[in-house]
Amino acid sequence: MSTNISKQKREDLLYKIEEIRKYLKNNLYDENARNLMGYLNELTTQINGQKYGLVFEEHREKIDEILEGHLPVLTEEKELFVGNGGEMNFLLEGDNLASLQLLEKTHKGKIDVIYIDPPYNTGKEFIYNDDLVDGIDEFKHSKWLSFMSERLQIAKGLLKATGVIFISIDDNEHCDLKILCDEIFSENNFISDFCVIRAEGGGMAKQVIKGHDYCLVYARNISQFTPLAKEKDIRGKVIEKDGIKYWVQEDWLRKEFGKYGNCHYEELIEYKGESFKKEIDKGIEKGDYILIPKDNGLTVIGKLRRLDMDSSKFYSVLKHLNKNGVNELKELNINFDYPKPTSLIKELVSGATFFNKSSTILDFFAGSGTTGHAVLKLNAEDGGHRKFILCTNNENGICRDITYERLKTVITGERKDGSKYSDGLSGSLKYLKVDFVEITEKEYYEYADKLLLHVRELVELENAVDFEHNTAVAIVLTEEELEAFTEKIVGSSPTMTRTLYLGHDVLLSKAQKVLFDQNGISVKIIPQYYYPELNG
């Protein structure tokens, strides 16, 4: 019989604490004794709370201190708007913790897919509070885990119940990240740990030539998650009926017959009986099956399978070479270290959105913008309407000079130097920048007006709309704006506006309601959860 040493140690500590507590109870008239009693209660809670899992030193970032006394807001860089039809996408420049807090206001429980490629903590690339965390930092792993934990906790809340998160990682933090994700997302929601082949061939190494990374996959709620799917490897011809494509599966009855080869209509009674033949005949009449004559004089029963509903499962080893990602950026005239190939993100996002091609995809370690590029390409290939939100800081100009320029180039088809890259991809992009409004020791009315100036961007982000260039939508946040909008409607009939987003504290008159109804304008009240402080 095994002995739980940790449990014994906890019980021993709790016994000693209880003995000290008994002594202190007799001296509670002393202020120091009362303070010590409080400390003992905290220690008891911590000891009882210990369990199997990841233990690391929690660290505080500079952004944590900023967020304590400030509220993050968004401001659009209007001159950076890129419009080429399609879906409205967003690029957020700023610390991703602040961006995630803003997304909590607009996208809580609304994200379908998250893909991130965080810093791998190799000792060469992870910056913590403006300092490089190198290989000799004694808190190397704790800093990284503290950094990741805070962000993944928020990310979990952003996912739909049907959502999924993909996290690329290498050996340096792979094991730590797996345990952290088991705690945050629950090990019951673990789907896979993909081995991603990223390089092949020779190389220099002291021990082993490393040619793979990992990709951890967790569902938000495994009971509501539709398994990752990919287009089936079709064997047989494809036909179209009523605008729907089907593939004809000729060997579907092979196991039923218990013999090798195709299943013939003429053999149905011999193998399966009269009732089964009648069932097949009904299916042929309904159009579920078709009969295919063969050269041997027999007829194969082909089962019609919808291409858009039939799929194959994922295999746990994926192959996407990093050199392809490098070559993709070279074609764009952009330099960036270790970019992921779009093929990897496309396969993951396609698998997660196989049955929902209108999904929203988030990447809050956007890097060079591979995720956005992949989503645009995927929509072009399968006619999807997926939208993306990318978040990255602007360290060394990465957001403005790399991420943005890449997305702009693939959307417009024109490189920064004016040369042609492609015919462009359907999609539009808004560039939003994170800023801060100070709230320390201030009453809400002292900064309410400043917050109100940034509500438009949150409404656009949440609803994926564009008030600047799309006349079908409008926004009104004050009584003065409502009056001006009403006058505009009266003076231009019919109006192009179909949807009006209205501030929650702006009231419509009966006449205005009638006017908007007559012009087919739907009114949506802007939610109060953006800035609770504005509610007074």
mmCIF file of all heavy atoms in Angstrom, residues 424-454:
data_model
loop_
_atom_site.group_PDB
_atom_site.id
_atom_site.type_symbol
_atom_site.label_atom_id
_atom_site.label_comp_id
_atom_site.label_asym_id
_atom_site.label_seq_id
_atom_site.Cartn_x
_atom_site.Cartn_y
_atom_site.Cartn_z
ATOM 1 N N GLY A 424 -5.326 40.064 -55.644
ATOM 2 C CA GLY A 424 -5.937 40.463 -54.382
ATOM 3 C C GLY A 424 -6.929 39.442 -53.870
ATOM 4 O O GLY A 424 -7.364 38.546 -54.599
ATOM 5 N N LEU A 425 -7.258 39.557 -52.599
ATOM 6 C CA LEU A 425 -8.211 38.658 -51.963
ATOM 7 C C LEU A 425 -9.345 39.475 -51.352
ATOM 8 O O LEU A 425 -9.123 40.540 -50.789
ATOM 9 C CB LEU A 425 -7.526 37.838 -50.859
ATOM 10 C CG LEU A 425 -6.466 36.835 -51.320
ATOM 11 C CD1 LEU A 425 -5.768 36.220 -50.108
ATOM 12 C CD2 LEU A 425 -7.087 35.733 -52.170
ATOM 13 N N SER A 426 -10.550 38.965 -51.449
ATOM 14 C CA SER A 426 -11.706 39.670 -50.898
ATOM 15 C C SER A 426 -11.601 39.775 -49.383
ATOM 16 O O SER A 426 -11.319 38.793 -48.690
ATOM 17 C CB SER A 426 -12.981 38.912 -51.281
ATOM 18 O OG SER A 426 -14.115 39.521 -50.710
ATOM 19 N N GLY A 427 -11.821 40.982 -48.884
ATOM 20 C CA GLY A 427 -11.735 41.213 -47.441
ATOM 21 C C GLY A 427 -11.419 42.670 -47.161
ATOM 22 O O GLY A 427 -10.859 43.372 -48.006
ATOM 23 N N SER A 428 -11.778 43.142 -45.970
ATOM 24 C CA SER A 428 -11.476 44.512 -45.557
ATOM 25 C C SER A 428 -10.818 44.487 -44.189
ATOM 26 O O SER A 428 -10.968 43.519 -43.437
ATOM 27 C CB SER A 428 -12.758 45.349 -45.523
ATOM 28 O OG SER A 428 -13.343 45.431 -46.817
ATOM 29 N N LEU A 429 -10.113 45.563 -43.859
ATOM 30 C CA LEU A 429 -9.311 45.578 -42.625
ATOM 31 C C LEU A 429 -9.362 46.938 -41.954
ATOM 32 O O LEU A 429 -9.159 47.969 -42.595
ATOM 33 C CB LEU A 429 -7.852 45.229 -42.948
ATOM 34 C CG LEU A 429 -6.888 45.192 -41.764
ATOM 35 C CD1 LEU A 429 -7.162 43.979 -40.875
ATOM 36 C CD2 LEU A 429 -5.437 45.164 -42.247
ATOM 37 N N LYS A 430 -9.640 46.927 -40.649
ATOM 38 C CA LYS A 430 -9.539 48.125 -39.826
ATOM 39 C C LYS A 430 -8.346 47.978 -38.883
ATOM 40 O O LYS A 430 -8.135 46.912 -38.290
ATOM 41 C CB LYS A 430 -10.815 48.330 -39.008
ATOM 42 C CG LYS A 430 -11.906 49.063 -39.763
ATOM 43 C CD LYS A 430 -13.102 49.334 -38.889
ATOM 44 C CE LYS A 430 -14.109 50.211 -39.591
ATOM 45 N NZ LYS A 430 -13.706 51.611 -39.706
ATOM 46 N N TYR A 431 -7.612 49.068 -38.726
ATOM 47 C CA TYR A 431 -6.428 49.101 -37.859
ATOM 48 C C TYR A 431 -6.787 49.895 -36.611
ATOM 49 O O TYR A 431 -7.034 51.103 -36.669
ATOM 50 C CB TYR A 431 -5.269 49.752 -38.606
ATOM 51 C CG TYR A 431 -3.907 49.647 -37.946
ATOM 52 C CD1 TYR A 431 -2.899 48.880 -38.520
ATOM 53 C CD2 TYR A 431 -3.609 50.343 -36.766
ATOM 54 C CE1 TYR A 431 -1.630 48.808 -37.942
ATOM 55 C CE2 TYR A 431 -2.357 50.262 -36.178
ATOM 56 C CZ TYR A 431 -1.372 49.492 -36.780
ATOM 57 O OH TYR A 431 -0.124 49.411 -36.202
ATOM 58 N N LEU A 432 -6.860 49.209 -35.474
ATOM 59 C CA LEU A 432 -7.208 49.843 -34.210
ATOM 60 C C LEU A 432 -6.017 49.830 -33.264
ATOM 61 O O LEU A 432 -5.310 48.821 -33.166
ATOM 62 C CB LEU A 432 -8.393 49.128 -33.551
ATOM 63 C CG LEU A 432 -9.670 48.990 -34.385
ATOM 64 C CD1 LEU A 432 -10.730 48.231 -33.609
ATOM 65 C CD2 LEU A 432 -10.188 50.355 -34.816
ATOM 66 N N LYS A 433 -5.817 50.923 -32.564
ATOM 67 C CA LYS A 433 -4.679 51.062 -31.663
ATOM 68 C C LYS A 433 -5.165 51.156 -30.215
ATOM 69 O O LYS A 433 -6.098 51.888 -29.911
ATOM 70 C CB LYS A 433 -3.891 52.318 -32.031
ATOM 71 C CG LYS A 433 -2.530 52.425 -31.376
ATOM 72 C CD LYS A 433 -1.745 53.593 -31.968
ATOM 73 C CE LYS A 433 -0.359 53.698 -31.352
ATOM 74 N NZ LYS A 433 0.420 54.801 -31.958
ATOM 75 N N VAL A 434 -4.512 50.396 -29.327
ATOM 76 C CA VAL A 434 -4.874 50.425 -27.908
ATOM 77 C C VAL A 434 -4.295 51.671 -27.257
ATOM 78 O O VAL A 434 -3.113 51.980 -27.412
ATOM 79 C CB VAL A 434 -4.352 49.171 -27.181
ATOM 80 C CG1 VAL A 434 -4.651 49.252 -25.683
ATOM 81 C CG2 VAL A 434 -4.971 47.909 -27.766
ATOM 82 N N ASP A 435 -5.142 52.368 -26.531
ATOM 83 C CA ASP A 435 -4.714 53.529 -25.756
ATOM 84 C C ASP A 435 -5.304 53.369 -24.354
ATOM 85 O O ASP A 435 -6.017 52.405 -24.076
ATOM 86 C CB ASP A 435 -5.195 54.819 -26.422
ATOM 87 C CG ASP A 435 -4.359 56.031 -26.011
ATOM 88 O OD1 ASP A 435 -3.558 55.900 -25.052
ATOM 89 O OD2 ASP A 435 -4.530 57.104 -26.609
ATOM 90 N N PHE A 436 -5.042 54.314 -23.462
ATOM 91 C CA PHE A 436 -5.494 54.185 -22.084
ATOM 92 C C PHE A 436 -6.082 55.498 -21.571
ATOM 93 O O PHE A 436 -5.595 56.582 -21.903
ATOM 94 C CB PHE A 436 -4.340 53.764 -21.162
ATOM 95 C CG PHE A 436 -3.739 52.439 -21.534
ATOM 96 C CD1 PHE A 436 -2.631 52.367 -22.367
ATOM 97 C CD2 PHE A 436 -4.295 51.262 -21.059
ATOM 98 C CE1 PHE A 436 -2.082 51.144 -22.726
ATOM 99 C CE2 PHE A 436 -3.761 50.037 -21.403
ATOM 100 C CZ PHE A 436 -2.656 49.981 -22.240
ATOM 101 N N VAL A 437 -7.130 55.365 -20.774
ATOM 102 C CA VAL A 437 -7.738 56.511 -20.092
ATOM 103 C C VAL A 437 -7.517 56.329 -18.599
ATOM 104 O O VAL A 437 -7.891 55.302 -18.030
ATOM 105 C CB VAL A 437 -9.248 56.609 -20.391
ATOM 106 C CG1 VAL A 437 -9.896 57.681 -19.515
ATOM 107 C CG2 VAL A 437 -9.477 56.907 -21.866
ATOM 108 N N GLU A 438 -6.881 57.320 -17.975
ATOM 109 C CA GLU A 438 -6.559 57.212 -16.548
ATOM 110 C C GLU A 438 -7.827 57.298 -15.701
ATOM 111 O O GLU A 438 -8.688 58.137 -15.928
ATOM 112 C CB GLU A 438 -5.597 58.329 -16.136
ATOM 113 C CG GLU A 438 -5.114 58.196 -14.696
ATOM 114 C CD GLU A 438 -4.154 59.309 -14.298
ATOM 115 O OE1 GLU A 438 -3.877 60.184 -15.155
ATOM 116 O OE2 GLU A 438 -3.702 59.307 -13.146
ATOM 117 N N ILE A 439 -7.927 56.403 -14.715
ATOM 118 C CA ILE A 439 -9.113 56.402 -13.841
ATOM 119 C C ILE A 439 -8.745 56.464 -12.358
ATOM 120 O O ILE A 439 -9.620 56.514 -11.504
ATOM 121 C CB ILE A 439 -9.964 55.138 -14.070
ATOM 122 C CG1 ILE A 439 -9.149 53.874 -13.766
ATOM 123 C CG2 ILE A 439 -10.523 55.107 -15.475
ATOM 124 C CD1 ILE A 439 -9.970 52.605 -13.804
ATOM 125 N N THR A 440 -7.465 56.440 -12.034
ATOM 126 C CA THR A 440 -7.028 56.404 -10.643
ATOM 127 C C THR A 440 -7.591 57.575 -9.840
ATOM 128 O O THR A 440 -7.441 58.735 -10.220
ATOM 129 C CB THR A 440 -5.489 56.437 -10.563
ATOM 130 O OG1 THR A 440 -4.979 55.363 -11.359
ATOM 131 C CG2 THR A 440 -5.022 56.243 -9.123
ATOM 132 N N GLU A 441 -8.256 57.238 -8.735
ATOM 133 C CA GLU A 441 -8.795 58.225 -7.791
ATOM 134 C C GLU A 441 -9.661 59.282 -8.472
ATOM 135 O O GLU A 441 -9.669 60.442 -8.108
ATOM 136 C CB GLU A 441 -7.643 58.901 -7.034
ATOM 137 C CG GLU A 441 -6.848 57.917 -6.180
ATOM 138 C CD GLU A 441 -5.713 58.611 -5.452
ATOM 139 O OE1 GLU A 441 -5.503 59.800 -5.691
ATOM 140 O OE2 GLU A 441 -5.045 57.935 -4.655
ATOM 141 N N LYS A 442 -10.382 58.867 -9.524
ATOM 142 C CA LYS A 442 -11.285 59.794 -10.201
ATOM 143 C C LYS A 442 -12.705 59.235 -10.157
ATOM 144 O O LYS A 442 -12.911 58.030 -10.193
ATOM 145 C CB LYS A 442 -10.878 59.994 -11.665
ATOM 146 C CG LYS A 442 -9.595 60.795 -11.850
ATOM 147 C CD LYS A 442 -9.340 61.020 -13.335
ATOM 148 C CE LYS A 442 -8.085 61.850 -13.562
ATOM 149 N NZ LYS A 442 -7.856 62.104 -15.002
ATOM 150 N N GLU A 443 -13.677 60.109 -10.088
ATOM 151 C CA GLU A 443 -15.063 59.694 -10.217
ATOM 152 C C GLU A 443 -15.357 59.446 -11.697
ATOM 153 O O GLU A 443 -14.736 60.042 -12.581
ATOM 154 C CB GLU A 443 -15.989 60.788 -9.674
ATOM 155 C CG GLU A 443 -15.820 61.070 -8.185
ATOM 156 C CD GLU A 443 -16.262 59.907 -7.310
ATOM 157 O OE1 GLU A 443 -17.072 59.079 -7.798
ATOM 158 O OE2 GLU A 443 -15.784 59.813 -6.160
ATOM 159 N N TYR A 444 -16.329 58.564 -11.965
ATOM 160 C CA TYR A 444 -16.575 58.161 -13.347
ATOM 161 C C TYR A 444 -16.876 59.354 -14.256
ATOM 162 O O TYR A 444 -16.472 59.375 -15.423
ATOM 163 C CB TYR A 444 -17.717 57.137 -13.410
ATOM 164 C CG TYR A 444 -19.091 57.738 -13.420
ATOM 165 C CD1 TYR A 444 -19.757 57.994 -14.621
ATOM 166 C CD2 TYR A 444 -19.723 58.074 -12.223
ATOM 167 C CE1 TYR A 444 -21.009 58.567 -14.625
ATOM 168 C CE2 TYR A 444 -20.981 58.649 -12.232
ATOM 169 C CZ TYR A 444 -21.623 58.886 -13.432
ATOM 170 O OH TYR A 444 -22.858 59.454 -13.428
ATOM 171 N N TYR A 445 -17.572 60.364 -13.732
ATOM 172 C CA TYR A 445 -17.951 61.493 -14.583
ATOM 173 C C TYR A 445 -16.740 62.307 -15.026
ATOM 174 O O TYR A 445 -16.826 63.075 -15.978
ATOM 175 C CB TYR A 445 -18.964 62.386 -13.864
ATOM 176 C CG TYR A 445 -18.490 62.958 -12.545
ATOM 177 C CD1 TYR A 445 -17.669 64.088 -12.507
ATOM 178 C CD2 TYR A 445 -18.877 62.365 -11.337
ATOM 179 C CE1 TYR A 445 -17.238 64.607 -11.292
ATOM 180 C CE2 TYR A 445 -18.444 62.884 -10.132
ATOM 181 C CZ TYR A 445 -17.616 63.999 -10.105
ATOM 182 O OH TYR A 445 -17.179 64.509 -8.902
ATOM 183 N N GLU A 446 -15.604 62.113 -14.338
ATOM 184 C CA GLU A 446 -14.404 62.861 -14.702
ATOM 185 C C GLU A 446 -13.731 62.302 -15.956
ATOM 186 O O GLU A 446 -12.945 62.990 -16.593
ATOM 187 C CB GLU A 446 -13.410 62.849 -13.537
ATOM 188 C CG GLU A 446 -13.898 63.572 -12.296
ATOM 189 C CD GLU A 446 -12.846 63.588 -11.201
ATOM 190 O OE1 GLU A 446 -11.845 64.330 -11.356
ATOM 191 O OE2 GLU A 446 -12.999 62.851 -10.206
ATOM 192 N N TYR A 447 -14.028 61.041 -16.284
ATOM 193 C CA TYR A 447 -13.413 60.477 -17.489
ATOM 194 C C TYR A 447 -14.457 59.850 -18.421
ATOM 195 O O TYR A 447 -14.118 59.276 -19.454
ATOM 196 C CB TYR A 447 -12.359 59.423 -17.130
ATOM 197 C CG TYR A 447 -12.843 58.343 -16.196
ATOM 198 C CD1 TYR A 447 -13.519 57.231 -16.668
ATOM 199 C CD2 TYR A 447 -12.598 58.419 -14.823
ATOM 200 C CE1 TYR A 447 -13.947 56.234 -15.818
ATOM 201 C CE2 TYR A 447 -13.036 57.422 -13.960
ATOM 202 C CZ TYR A 447 -13.705 56.330 -14.462
ATOM 203 O OH TYR A 447 -14.134 55.341 -13.615
ATOM 204 N N ALA A 448 -15.748 59.980 -18.085
ATOM 205 C CA ALA A 448 -16.813 59.371 -18.886
ATOM 206 C C ALA A 448 -16.808 59.887 -20.325
ATOM 207 O O ALA A 448 -16.989 59.113 -21.275
ATOM 208 C CB ALA A 448 -18.169 59.629 -18.240
ATOM 209 N N ASP A 449 -16.614 61.186 -20.498
ATOM 210 C CA ASP A 449 -16.619 61.756 -21.843
ATOM 211 C C ASP A 449 -15.495 61.184 -22.704
ATOM 212 O O ASP A 449 -15.666 60.977 -23.907
ATOM 213 C CB ASP A 449 -16.493 63.283 -21.778
ATOM 214 C CG ASP A 449 -17.756 63.947 -21.257
ATOM 215 O OD1 ASP A 449 -18.803 63.271 -21.261
ATOM 216 O OD2 ASP A 449 -17.690 65.114 -20.836
ATOM 217 N N LYS A 450 -14.340 60.931 -22.066
ATOM 218 C CA LYS A 450 -13.208 60.357 -22.820
ATOM 219 C C LYS A 450 -13.538 58.941 -23.279
ATOM 220 O O LYS A 450 -13.210 58.551 -24.406
ATOM 221 C CB LYS A 450 -11.945 60.358 -21.948
ATOM 222 C CG LYS A 450 -11.379 61.741 -21.683
ATOM 223 C CD LYS A 450 -10.083 61.654 -20.885
ATOM 224 C CE LYS A 450 -9.501 63.051 -20.649
ATOM 225 N NZ LYS A 450 -8.242 62.999 -19.844
ATOM 226 N N LEU A 451 -14.184 58.169 -22.401
ATOM 227 C CA LEU A 451 -14.559 56.803 -22.774
ATOM 228 C C LEU A 451 -15.583 56.812 -23.901
ATOM 229 O O LEU A 451 -15.538 55.979 -24.813
ATOM 230 C CB LEU A 451 -15.123 56.053 -21.565
ATOM 231 C CG LEU A 451 -14.147 55.775 -20.417
ATOM 232 C CD1 LEU A 451 -14.859 55.035 -19.304
ATOM 233 C CD2 LEU A 451 -12.946 54.969 -20.903
ATOM 234 N N LEU A 452 -16.505 57.760 -23.844
ATOM 235 C CA LEU A 452 -17.552 57.846 -24.852
ATOM 236 C C LEU A 452 -16.964 58.054 -26.248
ATOM 237 O O LEU A 452 -17.528 57.601 -27.249
ATOM 238 C CB LEU A 452 -18.497 59.001 -24.505
ATOM 239 C CG LEU A 452 -19.852 59.023 -25.213
ATOM 240 C CD1 LEU A 452 -20.653 57.782 -24.861
ATOM 241 C CD2 LEU A 452 -20.626 60.282 -24.837
ATOM 242 N N LEU A 453 -15.817 58.717 -26.322
ATOM 243 C CA LEU A 453 -15.167 58.969 -27.609
ATOM 244 C C LEU A 453 -14.695 57.692 -28.280
ATOM 245 O O LEU A 453 -14.385 57.692 -29.477
ATOM 246 C CB LEU A 453 -13.975 59.918 -27.412
ATOM 247 C CG LEU A 453 -14.297 61.338 -26.938
ATOM 248 C CD1 LEU A 453 -13.004 62.101 -26.656
ATOM 249 C CD2 LEU A 453 -15.137 62.073 -27.978
ATOM 250 N N HIS A 454 -14.612 56.579 -27.524
ATOM 251 C CA HIS A 454 -14.049 55.339 -28.061
ATOM 252 C C HIS A 454 -15.068 54.208 -28.150
ATOM 253 O O HIS A 454 -14.691 53.064 -28.401
ATOM 254 C CB HIS A 454 -12.874 54.900 -27.193
ATOM 255 C CG HIS A 454 -11.784 55.923 -27.081
ATOM 256 N ND1 HIS A 454 -10.799 56.073 -28.035
ATOM 257 C CD2 HIS A 454 -11.541 56.876 -26.142
ATOM 258 C CE1 HIS A 454 -9.990 57.059 -27.678
ATOM 259 N NE2 HIS A 454 -10.423 57.566 -26.533
#
